[in-house]
Structures are given as structure tokens and as C-alpha cells.
Amino acid sequence: MIPALVVVLAVIIFPWVFTIWMSLQEWKVGSPTTFVGLANYLRLPTDPRFVEAVGHTLSYTALSVLLPLVFGTLAAVVFHQKFAARGFWRGIFIMPMMATPVAIALVWTMMFHPQLGVLNYLLSLVGLPPQLWVFNPATVIPSLVLVETWQWTPLVMLIVLGGLAAIPTEPYESAQIDGANFWQVFRFITLPLIMPFLFIAGMIRMIDAVKSFDIIFAITQGGPGSASETINVYLYSVAFVYYDLGYGSAIAVVFFLLIVALAALLLYLRKRMLWTSELGDGA
């Protein structure tokens, strides 16, 4: 009991207590430490870069959760069907999630290149004008979401495939007897039964997307300007470029609370959905 308590205190509790303590200090590398209370936290709402980073983080996270859920569910429905070499094509489909972030950033940076990138070449084949992708402040967040969707749609597909494999065949046999079409079967049988798996996939994607750093930093470093600077990228700049450890710690604490709040929101929606479902069954 005591060794386990010591390990928990040393590994989990102490780093957070120390981070909170640092957030209450005016602490820059090379300067003496001064207690400033909540000044670092009160500075956050008046910091335009932090406010902008919060907006970028929320939009990036929302798109990076929604799109993989949609495409991953569609892919799971397709790969759940029986066809020739299905295992081989499943293996090909999940390959993006095995790649390292730096390798992915290298490949996509070349693909995003306005003159040499293959994406603008593909657009030209269908008569669309070339885009600046990550070099334009208006399109940098959707472009980064494209990379995130490409890499993590296979993960959602694998989770949903597990859900599809657990669905009994009786509801489908009854629907076939009743003459239901493909969309009706998906809407009223498949989707409700895989919803718990979609919530799990959504929560995993949300936690991963909201703290995404490596892909964004490797491709844009938060640019152009600060157009793709998320909270994580801004935190890195404050702590390791400006060496403002006190203010960086305050950002880290608020960032952690944001992640907990988003996870709690998903859990609340999950419980609310179960409660509504039970009421519907009771009626």
C-alpha cells in the first residue's frame, strides 16, 4: 500500500503540484522567482495570441474528430462486407496510422507545395484552381485537418469494425424480411448499435486531437504568422522559446482543464444518450 502511494505521489501528484506552484510565480530562466498569485491566469484572457490559439484548438479538434468518425464509419461498413482480398486491403488502409509524425509531415509538406505538390496537380485535372494549402492563413487549419483525417481514419475504422462484428444477425434478417433498404438498415439498426463504439472512438480522437503538436509543428510551426498556432504550440513557444516558465505553467494548467472539460462533456452526452434510450425502451 505505502510503496504504491509513494509511486502515485512521485509520478502523478508531484508533477502537477509543482506545475501549479510554478504557475503562481513570475519565473523566467535566468531571473529570480517571484510569487505573483493568480496574475499569470488573469493575463490569459487579455493575451490575444492565447485567445486566438484557443479558437484554433477548438476548430482543429472539432474537425479532426468529426471527419475521421464519418469516413472511418463508412470505411468500416465497406470493409465489413465480404469481398476478395479483404484482409489485404484492410492492411493497406491502416498503414497511415503506422507512420511516424515526422515522416508524415515530410510527405504532406511536399504534397502541399503550391508549385511542386501533387494536390494542386490533382485539382488541375478536374479544372480547379491551385491552392496555397498550409501557406495560406485561411486554409492552413483545414489542410492540417486533412493530414489528421488521413492518419487517424483507420483507427476509427478498426474500432467501428469491432462494433459491427458484435452485432447479432437477427435484426438484419428481420429487416430483410420487412423489405428495408440499405439506408434504412444502416440508419435504424447499424448506427444505434455501433453508437457506443463511436463514442469511444470520438473520445480517443478528441483527446489526441486537442493535444496534437508534432504534425502541426513539423509542417507549419504554427504559421503562417500564428494562423495554425494551437494552445500546445503556443505553450511550447512560451516555455521553450521565451523561457517564461511561470506563464507557460499557467497555460498548461488551463489546457489540462480544457481537456478534462471536453472529456466530461462527451461522457455526459454518452450518459444522456443511454438515459434517453432507456426511456424510449420503457415507453
Side-chain angles (χ1 to χ4, degrees), residues 23 87 222:
S23 71

Side-chain angles (χ1 to χ4, degrees), residues 50-67:
F50 175 76
V51 174
E52 187 182 23
V54 171
H56 294 158
T57 302
L58 294 178
S59 60
Y60 179 84
T61 301
L63 292 173
S64 296
V65 172
L66 179 62
L67 293 180

Side-chain angles (χ1 to χ4, degrees), residues 9-276:
L9 288 174
V11 177
I12 299 177
I13 303 299
F14 173 74
W16 272 111
V17 171
F18 187 64
T19 301
I20 294 172
W21 177 81
M22 286 196 300
S23 71
L24 303 177
Q25 313 293 321
E26 177 69 31
W27 187 358
K28 294 184 179 180
V29 174
S31 302
T33 303
T34 306
F35 180 77
V36 293
L38 298 176
N40 285 325
Y41 292 96
L42 298 176
R43 177 181 165 190
L44 290 172
T46 61
D47 182 353
R49 282 186 65 177
F50 175 76
V51 174
E52 187 182 23
V54 171
H56 294 158
T57 302
L58 294 178
S59 60
Y60 179 84
T61 301
L63 292 173
S64 296
V65 172
L66 179 62
L67 293 180
L69 283 180
V70 172
F71 292 121
T73 302
L74 293 176
V77 172
V78 171
F79 282 111
H80 186 62
Q81 310 301 317
K82 294 181 179 178
F83 54 85
R86 182 178 64 170
F88 171 78
W89 293 114
R90 279 183 181 176
I92 296 294
F93 191 79
I94 65 174
M95 287 184 70
M97 58 185 287
M98 302 176 186
T100 63
V102 176
I104 292 173
L106 173 64
V107 171
W108 279 91
T109 299
M110 293 305 300
M111 292 173 65
F112 283 137
H113 195 281
Q115 283 82 39
L116 305 175
V118 68
L119 294 180
N120 277 344
Y121 171 72
L122 294 176
L123 290 181
S124 69
L125 294 179
V126 294
L128 294 176
Q131 303 295 320
L132 291 176
W133 303 104
V134 294
F135 302 96
N136 184 345
T139 57
V140 63
I141 292 292
S143 300
L144 292 171
V145 169
L146 179 63
V147 181
E148 189 86 2
T149 302
W150 173 82
Q151 184 181 16
W152 294 115
T153 291
L155 174 65
V156 177
M157 187 269 290
L158 290 176
I159 295 174
V160 177
L161 266 180
L164 290 173
I167 297 178
T169 59
E170 287 81 2
Y172 293 101
E173 294 171 354
S174 300
Q176 189 176 14
I177 294 174
D178 293 338
N181 58 34
F182 177 80
W183 169 248
Q184 290 171 324
V185 170
F186 176 78
R187 169 66 181 83
F188 296 106
I189 297 178
T190 304
L191 188 59
L193 292 177
I194 64 171
M195 194 58 74
F197 295 88
L198 288 176
F199 263 94
I200 293 173
M203 182 169 293
I204 293 174
R205 283 299 310 131
M206 186 277 294
I207 295 174
D208 187 62
V210 76
K211 60 186 181 66
S212 180
F213 174 81
D214 40 20
I215 293 290
I216 299 174
F217 192 79
I219 295 180
T220 68
Q221 292 86 45
S226 59
S228 62
E229 193 173 61
T230 59
I231 298 177
N232 227 1
V233 176
Y234 183 50
L235 171 59
Y236 174 85
S237 298
V238 171
F240 298 109
V241 177
Y242 306 125
Y243 297 110
D244 192 345
L245 301 183
Y247 188 50
S249 299
I251 295 175
V253 172
V254 172
F255 190 29
F256 175 74
L257 294 178
L258 174 64
I259 295 174
V260 172
L262 290 175
L265 176 62
L266 283 180
L267 287 174
Y268 168 76
L269 293 175
R270 167 66 179 147
K271 288 184 177 179
R272 186 176 177 82
M273 186 190 70
L274 285 177
W275 183 71
T276 305

